[in-house]
Amino acid sequence: MANSAPRAQPRPRRIPDALDSIKQEFDLLNADRDALRAQRDDLEAQVNLQLAEVTNIRRSLCDLELQQGRVRQHYEDELRRLRLELSSVRQQGIPGFPSDPKARDTDRIPDTREPKRPKPERGSPAYSARYQLPPINTPSAFPDDLSVPPEFRREGSDWFAVFNPRIKRSLDISLVHSFHHARQLLSFVSAASQLTRSSVVCCVQFSIDGKYLATGCNRTAQIYDVKTGAKICVLSDDTAGKSGDLYIRSVRFSPDGKLLATGAEDRQIRIWDIAKKRIRTIFSGHTQEIYSLDFSLDGRFIISGSGDKTARIWDMHDESSKVLTINDTDSLNNDAGVTSVAISPNGQLVAAGSLDTIVRIWDVATGVLVERLRGHKDSVYSVSFTPDGRGLVSGSLDKTLKYWDVAALTARKDDLLLKKPVDKAPSPCTMDFVGHKVGVSAARWRRG
């Protein structure tokens, strides 16, 4: 039997195939790496471009600030020059500008008011006639700002005060601090790049002890030390919506100075714990912007006024509320939004000024409307009780302040409790303060 040679086996190709596969994966990884590098370079170029744009914006803002400073300085220099020229003209004397004080005295409007006489009984015709006198102050009683002598003016670079030369000067005015407010705007590049812009100041209030000043701005309430001018606190609700503006229209310190109430455009009243810089309570219920707040002297109640034609009494203890609604059928117009509120020192009455020119007064205990004070010819933007609670002052866009005698309202309530006959004569306006050249948007009695 013949022997046959063994047949040669084919060479296996596993190793070359594995090497080819590894090479293909390596080439793919290299391609991905190159693509990522190109993407990184594009992103770096975009970031550098955005940083350059931010730098240009900052440079433009700096240039605008410098230009504004130059324009302002030029304006102040020109205004100072014109005032000096006007003062020189007055000293030389021209018709209509008497330089002699005695000559100015002769230009006074004679006092045509009636002499003092015994006060008639309330409710009598003589009483009504007595309190329908012409305004005690007339527009010409206070001279034009530019017509007073230099010694009756105080002014700085951006403020001035004018004193009436026809009455004895009993006070002086000087600028102590300027409190600048700014909002931070986060840049679209990074948190390290921030811009600032001025914020409108909508309202201010001193603490009762006079040591602190609170201001309401866009989205923040800020508290300053009156003595040093330092900003000691910024209160901001981070849970409020971030879109658009949110102006705080009213701020009020609690009587003990530990709390600050803020009323804003989002229709909420926030009660802040100043020491902890956080919200203690939020009162909700108004359906339009809140324009005014006031604390009772004992700190238990806070009063709010809103454009929804209501004032509300909020109890700080149990967080309940009482709604004081304006639903007059004889209102002078359909818009009776409440612009200003005040609670009397004894906590018995709430007054509210409205856009329909009327001042209304409610009884706190019952919520009953007890008085409508009519006399203003335009919207009422401010109301304030006197420290003894017997008077109320109102300020209006008709450029006047009115003083109302409301002592009878308290007496009337006491008579009801004692079951005595009630005097229902309306509370009279006993004094008009006129002379403002624009509407009066704020008026306040100093306590103490």
PDB file of all heavy atoms in Angstrom, residues 59-72:
ATOM      1  N   ARG A  59     -17.461  99.427  27.690  1.00  0.00           N
ATOM      2  CA  ARG A  59     -16.755 100.632  27.259  1.00  0.00           C
ATOM      3  C   ARG A  59     -17.752 101.704  26.829  1.00  0.00           C
ATOM      4  O   ARG A  59     -17.589 102.889  27.136  1.00  0.00           O
ATOM      5  CB  ARG A  59     -15.799 100.280  26.112  1.00  0.00           C
ATOM      6  CG  ARG A  59     -14.878 101.437  25.709  1.00  0.00           C
ATOM      7  CD  ARG A  59     -13.941 101.035  24.584  1.00  0.00           C
ATOM      8  NE  ARG A  59     -13.031  99.973  25.001  1.00  0.00           N
ATOM      9  CZ  ARG A  59     -13.081  98.723  24.566  1.00  0.00           C
ATOM     10  NH1 ARG A  59     -14.023  98.368  23.685  1.00  0.00           N
ATOM     11  NH2 ARG A  59     -12.218  97.828  24.994  1.00  0.00           N
ATOM     12  N   SER A  60     -18.813 101.263  26.136  1.00  0.00           N
ATOM     13  CA  SER A  60     -19.837 102.235  25.714  1.00  0.00           C
ATOM     14  C   SER A  60     -20.537 102.856  26.914  1.00  0.00           C
ATOM     15  O   SER A  60     -20.805 104.061  26.942  1.00  0.00           O
ATOM     16  CB  SER A  60     -20.860 101.547  24.813  1.00  0.00           C
ATOM     17  OG  SER A  60     -20.245 101.024  23.647  1.00  0.00           O
ATOM     18  N   LEU A  61     -20.832 102.033  27.939  1.00  0.00           N
ATOM     19  CA  LEU A  61     -21.466 102.568  29.145  1.00  0.00           C
ATOM     20  C   LEU A  61     -20.562 103.575  29.841  1.00  0.00           C
ATOM     21  O   LEU A  61     -21.016 104.620  30.308  1.00  0.00           O
ATOM     22  CB  LEU A  61     -21.815 101.428  30.102  1.00  0.00           C
ATOM     23  CG  LEU A  61     -22.986 100.528  29.694  1.00  0.00           C
ATOM     24  CD1 LEU A  61     -23.140  99.380  30.676  1.00  0.00           C
ATOM     25  CD2 LEU A  61     -24.276 101.337  29.628  1.00  0.00           C
ATOM     26  N   CYS A  62     -19.284 103.256  29.929  1.00  0.00           N
ATOM     27  CA  CYS A  62     -18.337 104.206  30.543  1.00  0.00           C
ATOM     28  C   CYS A  62     -18.298 105.518  29.762  1.00  0.00           C
ATOM     29  O   CYS A  62     -18.296 106.613  30.353  1.00  0.00           O
ATOM     30  CB  CYS A  62     -16.957 103.587  30.626  1.00  0.00           C
ATOM     31  SG  CYS A  62     -16.830 102.204  31.785  1.00  0.00           S
ATOM     32  N   ASP A  63     -18.294 105.395  28.427  1.00  0.00           N
ATOM     33  CA  ASP A  63     -18.276 106.613  27.608  1.00  0.00           C
ATOM     34  C   ASP A  63     -19.555 107.422  27.819  1.00  0.00           C
ATOM     35  O   ASP A  63     -19.507 108.667  27.913  1.00  0.00           O
ATOM     36  CB  ASP A  63     -18.129 106.239  26.127  1.00  0.00           C
ATOM     37  CG  ASP A  63     -16.768 105.627  25.816  1.00  0.00           C
ATOM     38  OD1 ASP A  63     -15.836 105.833  26.622  1.00  0.00           O
ATOM     39  OD2 ASP A  63     -16.649 104.941  24.782  1.00  0.00           O
ATOM     40  N   LEU A  64     -20.695 106.730  27.912  1.00  0.00           N
ATOM     41  CA  LEU A  64     -21.954 107.439  28.137  1.00  0.00           C
ATOM     42  C   LEU A  64     -21.971 108.119  29.495  1.00  0.00           C
ATOM     43  O   LEU A  64     -22.471 109.248  29.639  1.00  0.00           O
ATOM     44  CB  LEU A  64     -23.121 106.460  28.034  1.00  0.00           C
ATOM     45  CG  LEU A  64     -23.464 105.951  26.630  1.00  0.00           C
ATOM     46  CD1 LEU A  64     -24.545 104.888  26.694  1.00  0.00           C
ATOM     47  CD2 LEU A  64     -23.934 107.112  25.738  1.00  0.00           C
ATOM     48  N   GLU A  65     -21.428 107.455  30.522  1.00  0.00           N
ATOM     49  CA  GLU A  65     -21.370 108.077  31.845  1.00  0.00           C
ATOM     50  C   GLU A  65     -20.497 109.320  31.828  1.00  0.00           C
ATOM     51  O   GLU A  65     -20.839 110.349  32.426  1.00  0.00           O
ATOM     52  CB  GLU A  65     -20.851 107.067  32.862  1.00  0.00           C
ATOM     53  CG  GLU A  65     -21.847 105.963  33.186  1.00  0.00           C
ATOM     54  CD  GLU A  65     -21.289 104.960  34.180  1.00  0.00           C
ATOM     55  OE1 GLU A  65     -20.097 105.106  34.536  1.00  0.00           O
ATOM     56  OE2 GLU A  65     -22.027 104.047  34.594  1.00  0.00           O
ATOM     57  N   LEU A  66     -19.368 109.239  31.165  1.00  0.00           N
ATOM     58  CA  LEU A  66     -18.489 110.418  31.075  1.00  0.00           C
ATOM     59  C   LEU A  66     -19.174 111.547  30.323  1.00  0.00           C
ATOM     60  O   LEU A  66     -19.115 112.724  30.726  1.00  0.00           O
ATOM     61  CB  LEU A  66     -17.178 110.028  30.379  1.00  0.00           C
ATOM     62  CG  LEU A  66     -16.255 109.082  31.158  1.00  0.00           C
ATOM     63  CD1 LEU A  66     -15.061 108.681  30.302  1.00  0.00           C
ATOM     64  CD2 LEU A  66     -15.784 109.742  32.448  1.00  0.00           C
ATOM     65  N   GLN A  67     -19.867 111.191  29.227  1.00  0.00           N
ATOM     66  CA  GLN A  67     -20.569 112.215  28.460  1.00  0.00           C
ATOM     67  C   GLN A  67     -21.693 112.835  29.282  1.00  0.00           C
ATOM     68  O   GLN A  67     -21.889 114.051  29.264  1.00  0.00           O
ATOM     69  CB  GLN A  67     -21.131 111.587  27.183  1.00  0.00           C
ATOM     70  CG  GLN A  67     -21.827 112.588  26.257  1.00  0.00           C
ATOM     71  CD  GLN A  67     -22.332 111.929  24.994  1.00  0.00           C
ATOM     72  OE1 GLN A  67     -22.136 110.737  24.800  1.00  0.00           O
ATOM     73  NE2 GLN A  67     -22.972 112.695  24.137  1.00  0.00           N
ATOM     74  N   GLN A  68     -22.421 111.997  30.031  1.00  0.00           N
ATOM     75  CA  GLN A  68     -23.481 112.528  30.882  1.00  0.00           C
ATOM     76  C   GLN A  68     -22.902 113.470  31.940  1.00  0.00           C
ATOM     77  O   GLN A  68     -23.483 114.510  32.249  1.00  0.00           O
ATOM     78  CB  GLN A  68     -24.223 111.384  31.563  1.00  0.00           C
ATOM     79  CG  GLN A  68     -25.369 111.852  32.459  1.00  0.00           C
ATOM     80  CD  GLN A  68     -25.946 110.732  33.283  1.00  0.00           C
ATOM     81  OE1 GLN A  68     -25.338 109.680  33.406  1.00  0.00           O
ATOM     82  NE2 GLN A  68     -27.103 110.960  33.868  1.00  0.00           N
ATOM     83  N   GLY A  69     -21.757 113.082  32.530  1.00  0.00           N
ATOM     84  CA  GLY A  69     -21.130 113.956  33.519  1.00  0.00           C
ATOM     85  C   GLY A  69     -20.744 115.301  32.939  1.00  0.00           C
ATOM     86  O   GLY A  69     -20.935 116.354  33.583  1.00  0.00           O
ATOM     87  N   ARG A  70     -20.221 115.283  31.706  1.00  0.00           N
ATOM     88  CA  ARG A  70     -19.831 116.554  31.083  1.00  0.00           C
ATOM     89  C   ARG A  70     -21.062 117.415  30.793  1.00  0.00           C
ATOM     90  O   ARG A  70     -21.061 118.633  31.018  1.00  0.00           O
ATOM     91  CB  ARG A  70     -19.048 116.269  29.800  1.00  0.00           C
ATOM     92  CG  ARG A  70     -17.642 115.721  30.050  1.00  0.00           C
ATOM     93  CD  ARG A  70     -16.813 115.770  28.781  1.00  0.00           C
ATOM     94  NE  ARG A  70     -17.339 114.877  27.756  1.00  0.00           N
ATOM     95  CZ  ARG A  70     -16.939 113.623  27.592  1.00  0.00           C
ATOM     96  NH1 ARG A  70     -16.007 113.117  28.395  1.00  0.00           N
ATOM     97  NH2 ARG A  70     -17.449 112.866  26.643  1.00  0.00           N
ATOM     98  N   VAL A  71     -22.128 116.771  30.269  1.00  0.00           N
ATOM     99  CA  VAL A  71     -23.351 117.530  29.983  1.00  0.00           C
ATOM    100  C   VAL A  71     -23.952 118.097  31.257  1.00  0.00           C
ATOM    101  O   VAL A  71     -24.379 119.256  31.306  1.00  0.00           O
ATOM    102  CB  VAL A  71     -24.368 116.621  29.257  1.00  0.00           C
ATOM    103  CG1 VAL A  71     -25.719 117.321  29.135  1.00  0.00           C
ATOM    104  CG2 VAL A  71     -23.859 116.232  27.876  1.00  0.00           C
ATOM    105  N   ARG A  72     -23.948 117.305  32.306  1.00  0.00           N
ATOM    106  CA  ARG A  72     -24.497 117.775  33.578  1.00  0.00           C
ATOM    107  C   ARG A  72     -23.688 118.934  34.132  1.00  0.00           C
ATOM    108  O   ARG A  72     -24.244 119.907  34.635  1.00  0.00           O
ATOM    109  CB  ARG A  72     -24.514 116.605  34.565  1.00  0.00           C
ATOM    110  CG  ARG A  72     -25.096 116.951  35.927  1.00  0.00           C
ATOM    111  CD  ARG A  72     -25.163 115.708  36.774  1.00  0.00           C
ATOM    112  NE  ARG A  72     -25.686 115.985  38.094  1.00  0.00           N
ATOM    113  CZ  ARG A  72     -25.888 115.061  39.033  1.00  0.00           C
ATOM    114  NH1 ARG A  72     -25.615 113.810  38.766  1.00  0.00           N
ATOM    115  NH2 ARG A  72     -26.369 115.399  40.204  1.00  0.00           N
TER     116      ARG A  72
END
